[in-house]
Short mmCIF file of all heavy atoms in Angstrom, two decimals:
data_model
loop_
_atom_site.label_atom_id
_atom_site.label_comp_id
_atom_site.label_asym_id
_atom_site.label_seq_id
_atom_site.Cartn_x
_atom_site.Cartn_y
_atom_site.Cartn_z
N MET A 1 -35.31 148.96 -0.87
CA MET A 1 -35.70 147.76 -0.12
C MET A 1 -34.59 146.73 -0.02
O MET A 1 -34.78 145.63 0.42
CB MET A 1 -36.91 147.09 -0.78
CG MET A 1 -38.21 147.85 -0.64
SD MET A 1 -38.70 148.04 1.07
CE MET A 1 -39.30 146.40 1.42
N THR A 10 -23.84 137.90 7.99
CA THR A 10 -23.06 136.87 7.28
C THR A 10 -23.73 135.51 7.42
O THR A 10 -24.39 135.21 8.42
CB THR A 10 -21.63 136.76 7.86
OG1 THR A 10 -21.73 136.50 9.28
CG2 THR A 10 -20.84 138.04 7.63
N ALA A 119 -21.06 133.27 -9.16
CA ALA A 119 -19.64 133.70 -9.18
C ALA A 119 -19.51 135.08 -9.80
O ALA A 119 -18.76 135.93 -9.29
CB ALA A 119 -18.81 132.67 -9.96
N LEU A 227 -36.78 100.92 -12.60
CA LEU A 227 -36.77 99.46 -12.62
C LEU A 227 -37.17 98.91 -11.26
O LEU A 227 -36.48 99.16 -10.27
CB LEU A 227 -35.34 99.01 -12.97
CG LEU A 227 -35.09 97.51 -13.05
CD1 LEU A 227 -35.86 96.90 -14.21
CD2 LEU A 227 -33.58 97.25 -13.20
N THR A 241 -22.16 98.26 -10.77
CA THR A 241 -22.32 97.60 -12.07
C THR A 241 -22.21 98.66 -13.15
O THR A 241 -22.94 99.65 -13.13
CB THR A 241 -23.72 96.92 -12.14
OG1 THR A 241 -23.79 95.96 -11.08
CG2 THR A 241 -23.95 96.24 -13.47
N LEU A 296 -32.91 125.18 7.48
CA LEU A 296 -32.83 124.29 6.32
C LEU A 296 -33.57 124.87 5.12
O LEU A 296 -34.62 125.51 5.27
CB LEU A 296 -33.45 122.93 6.66
CG LEU A 296 -32.84 122.17 7.84
CD1 LEU A 296 -33.71 120.96 8.19
CD2 LEU A 296 -31.42 121.72 7.51
N TYR A 392 -47.24 130.94 -9.00
CA TYR A 392 -46.75 131.43 -7.70
C TYR A 392 -45.73 132.53 -7.97
O TYR A 392 -44.78 132.33 -8.74
CB TYR A 392 -46.10 130.27 -6.94
CG TYR A 392 -45.46 130.65 -5.62
CD1 TYR A 392 -46.22 130.76 -4.46
CD2 TYR A 392 -44.09 130.86 -5.54
CE1 TYR A 392 -45.63 131.08 -3.24
CE2 TYR A 392 -43.49 131.18 -4.32
CZ TYR A 392 -44.27 131.29 -3.18
OH TYR A 392 -43.67 131.60 -1.98
#
Side-chain angles (χ1 to χ4, degrees):
M1 289 299 284
T10 56
L227 180 66
T241 300
L296 302 170
Y392 176 83

